[in-house]
Amino acid sequence: MGFYLVKRVLLVLCVTAQAAATAQVGSEIQTREAAANFVMAQAMTLGILREECHEWLAGTDDDAERIALAWWLRNRDDLDTANWVVLKAIERHRATLPTDAAAVAERQTLSASVTGSLVILRALFNRELPTVASCRNAVRQFAAGPSRGGPLGKVPDYGRLQEFSEALRRARVEPGFVRPLEKSRTLDAQVSPTEDPMATLDAIDAARERGDAVVVLRGFETLALRGDGKAAQNLGFIFLQGQLGQNKDPAAAYRWFYRAWATGEAEGLYSLGVMWRDGIGVIPNQKVALAAFRLTHVMAGETEPAGVRALANAQKIERALQPIAIAEVGCSSMEALHQAMRSVVTPPPQRTDPVPMLKSGLLKDSLGIGPPNVLCN
């Protein structure tokens, strides 16, 4: 073989070896990132079970809190490593991609565990509303580990558990590996109870898709009675507009909007303001509507849609009212506003309802309604 031919062959072999090494590194990165996303998806799912199944299983052998704690203790090393892997992926995106592309890649990286959790939840609940039985079965999957015949056996990534475990172990022995700060290595930080009831919301979406109004209403009512303001707001719109084949029921709509407000949802108060402004289910009262819109603006803030809409409505009402009427609203108390709001709720809510943003004092001082120097009787 001639000199130049030998040189060319050696060059080809060198390039081939480099390409193989690069491919191997790329494959390792993909595997460890998939492993990290899967561990974090399991942790997110357990956090959802801690919230959605708590009231049914608390104090039993299948207590989601107890099982989540045991799972967390078994998987702390992998959770620490997953956190590091995700942070390294974000650093890589920022270092190698244009700003806009890096932002997209970062969002995809952070949302991967959410997508993975939804896959697990669908295997556990089959897009049906959680029940005592399905919650018990779900948490037991995390207590005993997945089996081929169990619901988690249908999740493809569970077939890669060994591969994922080894990939995360290799990541932990790299020189640059750093564990999270201790304050981020707690059960509530790494298997956090979430306020987003994904299992129930996914079941509601499935019920909407098949036109099952009964399940939609039951799902939203379950969440609303647990203190979910957005669920109460959805119910308000269903009854206000007659959605899902329901008859329009302004009284029911008002009751759910009031509950939404009582749990801190500014949109609930905004909707009450609209009902008072337009006389939907109540005798129209522009003064009460003005106070409701001004309070919504304070609750939601300058930039949130509810706050922006509320301010526009308040200003429109103020332009239409006489100055003396505006002054009368400003001289009213927060307690008077609350009494007006709850007076038409049927059945009447308990007086201890935790309505936010209701502090003592006059509306002219707390909401800026009317001239600040006006003398109130």
Side-chain angles (χ1 to χ4, degrees):
M1 185 181 294
F3 171 77
Y4 290 107
L5 180 57
V6 170
K7 186 175 179 180
R8 178 172 295 181
V9 169
L10 290 175
L11 178 62
V12 170
L13 290 175
C14 182
V15 170
T16 302
Q18 289 177 340
T22 301
Q24 185 175 6
V25 171
S27 176
E28 174 69 7
I29 290 174
Q30 289 178 350
T31 300
R32 71 171 52 168
E33 289 181 3
N37 291 331
F38 186 56
V39 169
M40 296 178 82
Q42 293 178 82
M44 178 176 290
T45 303
L46 261 177
I48 292 167
L49 296 179
R50 289 179 68 189
E51 185 66 27
E52 294 216 48
C53 299
H54 173 73
E55 64 180 297
W56 289 321
L57 303 180
T60 70
D61 291 342
D62 300 305
D63 191 330
E65 291 293 315
R66 181 181 62 80
I67 290 174
L69 175 61
W71 183 90
W72 173 70
L73 290 171
R74 292 196 308 271
N75 292 276
R76 291 189 74 188
D77 280 345
D78 282 353
L79 285 166
D80 289 348
T81 313
N83 181 78
W84 180 76
V85 168
V86 169
L87 290 177
K88 295 297 288 184
I90 292 172
E91 288 177 6
R92 188 178 71 255
H93 297 325
R94 292 176 179 177
T96 60
L97 297 174
T99 302
D100 290 346
V104 171
E106 183 174 337
R107 285 195 297 271
Q108 291 173 339
T109 297
L110 295 174
S111 65
S113 58
V114 179
T115 303
S117 178
L118 185 58
V119 171
I120 296 172
L121 287 169
R122 287 181 173 178
L124 293 171
F125 294 102
N126 198 32
R127 305 195 77 188
E128 299 289 344
L129 292 176
T131 63
V132 177
S134 62
C135 273
R136 181 177 293 115
N137 184 52
V139 298
R140 285 178 178 176
Q141 299 301 306
F142 289 90
S147 62
R148 290 186 179 276
L152 293 185
K154 305 172 186 176
V155 179
D157 280 344
Y158 271 100
R160 303 178 68 187
L161 280 177
Q162 186 63 36
E163 177 190 2
F164 284 166
S165 179
E166 292 173 356
L168 294 176
R169 179 183 53 77
R170 290 192 296 272
R172 275 196 295 278
V173 300
E174 288 193 2
F177 172 70
V178 179
R179 293 186 185 275
L181 297 174
E182 282 301 315
K183 65 180 181 180
S184 301
R185 299 184 70 230
T186 65
L187 172 65
D188 284 343
Q190 293 184 312
V191 189
S192 175
T194 176
E195 295 181 359
D196 187 5
M198 282 176 57
T200 299
L201 291 176
D202 189 45
I204 290 172
D205 286 342
R208 278 189 183 276
E209 291 166 9
R210 64 176 183 268
D212 191 337
V214 173
V215 170
V216 172
L217 292 173
R218 188 165 72 244
F220 278 139
E221 286 179 9
T222 298
L223 296 178
L225 294 175
R226 288 180 186 165
D228 188 318
K230 287 183 171 55
Q233 182 72 7
N234 277 313
L235 285 168
F237 274 119
I238 288 171
F239 288 108
L240 180 68
Q241 299 174 353
Q243 298 175 0
L244 300 175
Q246 304 302 302
N247 293 325
K248 290 184 178 181
D249 188 341
Y254 191 102
R255 184 169 63 251
W256 287 115
F257 286 144
Y258 182 94
R259 180 176 283 274
W261 174 39
T263 52
E265 184 65 34
E267 288 283 3
L269 179 56
Y270 176 83
S271 298
L272 294 176
V274 170
M275 295 184 79
W276 281 102
R277 182 196 66 192
D278 298 343
I280 303 173
V282 296
I283 298 173
N285 188 318
Q286 301 307 302
K287 295 179 182 179
V288 174
L290 171 59
F293 288 136
R294 280 292 181 181
L295 182 53
T296 301
H297 179 243
V298 171
M299 283 182 66
E302 296 283 348
T303 58
E304 290 298 314
V308 174
R309 285 184 273 110
L311 179 60
N313 275 279
Q315 291 172 337
K316 185 175 181 180
I317 291 175
E318 287 169 343
R319 288 193 295 270
L321 287 178
Q322 295 295 322
I324 189 171
I326 298 174
E328 288 174 357
V329 178
C331 287
S332 300
S333 66
M334 281 288 190
E335 178 62 23
L337 172 60
H338 187 202
Q339 288 296 334
M341 287 292 190
R342 69 193 298 272
S343 64
V344 295
V345 179
T346 53
Q350 295 295 315
R351 183 61 189 86
T352 54
D353 273 3
V355 176
M357 302 302 296
L358 281 177
K359 300 178 181 178
S360 60
L362 301 180
L363 301 187
K364 71 182 184 68
D365 300 319
S366 54
L367 302 181
I369 298 177
N373 58 349
V374 68
L375 296 177
C376 300
N377 297 327

